């Protein structure tokens, strides 16, 4: 059991800790945003769209999002095997909030960076 899973199990009734610990990591929102843009994506396509994510981390992130019902994984019995990922209805219902957060981040990034620099100069 990971530290996050242990922490979540300690506070199962807290929706903020429970949900944000799953989608508030470094990669989940990027994967959701990428799937929003592509509608359906294969693993390698997602990896190319998020070039700094490792194969292991993309696999882990997709499994977490699938476990939470935000992403649907479809495996096709072909040779070579084909697997596609897409947002579920629940995942799509999260998108307006993700889009608002992205908009807020883009709109405030310059001021945040300036605040960080000012803080470092004070320290």
């Amino acid at each position: 059991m990971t530290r996050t899973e242990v922490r979540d199990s300690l506070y199962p009734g807290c929706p903020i800790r429970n949900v944000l610990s799953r989608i508030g990591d470094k990669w989940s929102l990027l994967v959701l945003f990428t799937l929003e843009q592509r509608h359906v994506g294969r693993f390698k396509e997602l990896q190319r769209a998020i070039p700094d994510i490792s194969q292991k981390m993309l696999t882990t992130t997709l499994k977490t999002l699938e476990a939470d019902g935000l992403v649907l994984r479809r495996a096709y019995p072909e040779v070579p095997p084909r697997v596609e990922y897409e947002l579920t209805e629940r995942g799509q219902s999260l998108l307006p909030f993700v889009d608002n957060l992205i908009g807020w981040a883009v709109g405030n990034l310059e001021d945040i960076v300036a605040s960080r620099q000012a803080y470092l100069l004070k320290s």
Side-chain angles (χ1 to χ4, degrees):
M1 190 177 274
T2 67
R3 287 190 323 179
T4 300
E5 290 169 331
V6 169
R7 185 183 64 230
D8 290 348
S9 70
L10 295 174
Y11 306 103
C14 181
I16 294 169
R17 285 185 177 133
N18 192 295
V19 174
L20 289 183
S21 70
R22 302 286 285 215
I23 63 168
D25 62 19
K26 184 175 180 179
W27 301 111
S28 293
L29 291 179
L30 286 172
V31 170
L32 292 170
F33 176 75
T34 303
L35 284 171
E36 175 187 23
Q37 302 303 304
R38 298 177 177 274
H39 302 289
V40 174
R42 295 180 73 174
F43 187 89
K44 286 294 184 186
E45 292 171 348
L46 293 171
Q47 197 171 26
R48 278 192 294 274
I50 310 169
D52 50 342
I53 193 170
S54 70
Q55 180 175 339
K56 180 181 182 202
M57 187 49 46
L58 180 55
T59 299
T60 301
T61 302
L62 286 167
K63 284 181 180 181
T64 298
L65 294 171
E66 183 183 8
D68 286 349
L70 300 173
V71 168
L72 176 65
R73 178 184 187 271
R74 285 204 178 123
Y76 297 90
E78 301 173 351
V79 177
R82 178 171 54 115
V83 177
E84 294 179 340
Y85 297 90
E86 65 182 289
L87 294 172
T88 63
E89 191 173 318
R90 183 179 303 143
Q92 290 175 359
S93 73
L94 179 59
L95 292 177
F97 303 101
V98 171
D99 292 341
N100 283 335
L101 181 59
I102 290 169
W104 182 89
V106 168
N108 287 281
L109 181 60
E110 283 185 34
D111 291 337
I112 290 170
V113 169
S115 293
R116 289 177 186 164
Q117 291 171 342
Y119 179 81
L120 289 173
L121 291 175
K122 281 190 334 186
S123 303

